[in-house]
Amino acid sequence: GASADGDGEEDGEGNRGSENGPGAVDAPRRFEERTRAATKKEMLNNSDAAGALLAEAMKGAAHGLHSRAPRLLAQILRPPKLAPTEERGGGDDDDGRLARAYTVAEGAVDSLAKHTRRGKCGVMWEHVLRAARRACADVGGEK
C-alpha cells in the first residue's frame, strides 16, 4: 500500500514509484493479475466444497448410498448445455464452466468412493461409466 508520506506504492520488486511514475502504470495490471489468481483459487475451493456437499447428500447409512443418489449422480455427471441466454462476457467460456462442473462431479465421486463399500456402490459406478461412455461418444471415441 501507499506509505503515510504519500510517496507511492512498491511495485513488488522493492521499487517505489510516485503516483504518476512507472509504478502507477503497472499497478492496474498487477491488480488484475492478483485478482485473477485469487478468483481461480476461490473457484477451485468452491468446486471442492460443492463436490463435498453433493457427496454428503448422496451418502447413505452403513457405507451405502442414499435412495436419492442415482438422481443426483445423473445430474452432476451430465451438466446441462449452456442456453444462449446464459452466455456472459468476462472470459467465462463454456469450456471453463464445463471443466468446473466436472471438477465438482469428480470431487463428489471421489468422496463417495471412499464412503461406500463393496456391494453398495454399483449404482454409482454404473452412472460414472455411462457418463464416460457418453463423453467418449461426444468426442468421437468408442461407445
Side-chain angles (χ1 to χ4, degrees):
S3 66
D5 61 1
D7 64 352
E9 293 190 17
E10 277 191 21
D11 65 2
E13 297 175 1
N15 302 322
R16 297 185 69 78
S18 68
E19 290 297 321
N20 295 324
V25 174
D26 291 335
R29 182 181 51 82
R30 286 192 319 270
F31 175 76
E32 184 178 340
E33 289 169 358
R34 286 191 306 259
T35 302
R36 278 195 188 136
T39 301
K40 186 174 184 176
K41 183 177 180 180
E42 184 177 306
M43 282 193 292
L44 287 173
N45 289 339
N46 289 346
S47 295
D48 290 343
L53 179 64
L54 286 166
E56 287 300 317
M58 290 185 272
K59 289 179 181 178
H63 298 283
L65 296 173
H66 194 278
S67 61
R68 76 176 139 241
R71 289 186 307 251
L72 287 171
L73 278 166
Q75 289 296 311
I76 67 169
L77 293 172
R78 190 174 203 168
K81 300 239 186 230
L82 196 63
T85 57
E86 292 178 286
E87 290 178 7
R88 296 181 287 184
D92 196 18
D93 62 0
D94 293 352
D95 289 338
R97 285 186 270 185
L98 188 60
R100 286 192 301 277
Y102 282 121
T103 299
V104 169
E106 178 185 354
V109 170
D110 180 62
S111 182
L112 288 173
K114 292 172 183 170
H115 169 77
T116 55
R117 297 294 181 256
R118 188 175 9 165
K120 298 190 175 193
C121 59
V123 170
M124 176 182 68
W125 294 118
E126 287 172 14
H127 281 282
V128 170
L129 290 173
R130 188 177 304 128
R133 285 186 195 108
R134 194 171 36 243
C136 286
D138 287 349
V139 295
E142 295 180 23
K143 289 189 179 182

